[in-house]
Amino acid sequence: MVEHSLSVSRPEAFAGYLASWQPLDLSSAVKGNTVPVLVLVGEYDLALTADVMRATWQAWYPNCRIVTITGSGHYPPHETAVAFATEVEAFLRV
């Protein structure tokens, strides 16, 4: 994943992307929104953990469900595609 990312992106584009969204805080605009939300977390994602999602997404969206995808890191749709799709499909059926 890293090799592909490095081969198709330029450092200045990546830095510009990070700078464009990193300082934004939209939490006040969504806090308390009752729309159902599914957050899928990779079991081995060291940055965006289930605890981080509980402190952010679940704090803002009271109907937020957090599911950890076993065997995945930061990119569940690529690393564990079947498990990812299964969770999304189950969520959309409700």
Side-chain angles (χ1 to χ4, degrees):
M1 184 68 68
V2 171
E3 182 179 316
H4 174 74
S5 182
L6 291 172
S7 71
V8 299
S9 61
R10 295 181 8 212
E12 60 273 16
F14 186 81
Y17 170 72
L18 179 61
S20 73
W21 67 262
Q22 190 273 335
L24 295 178
D25 181 1
L26 304 174
S27 60
S28 64
V30 300
K31 192 168 187 171
N33 190 317
T34 59
V35 67
V37 174
L38 174 65
V39 175
L40 299 175
V41 177
E43 176 183 21
Y44 302 115
D45 189 335
L46 300 177
L48 301 178
T49 65
D51 286 340
V52 170
M53 297 301 106
R54 279 189 281 278
T56 55
W57 281 86
Q58 204 164 49
W60 304 325
Y61 293 93
N63 292 325
C64 176
R65 189 169 114 215
I66 299 167
V67 176
T68 298
I69 303 291
T70 303
S72 183
H74 188 69
Y75 300 99
H78 299 284
E79 299 166 351
T80 51
V82 172
F84 179 86
T86 299
E87 291 295 340
V88 171
E89 288 175 347
F91 178 76
L92 293 175
R93 277 192 208 106
V94 177

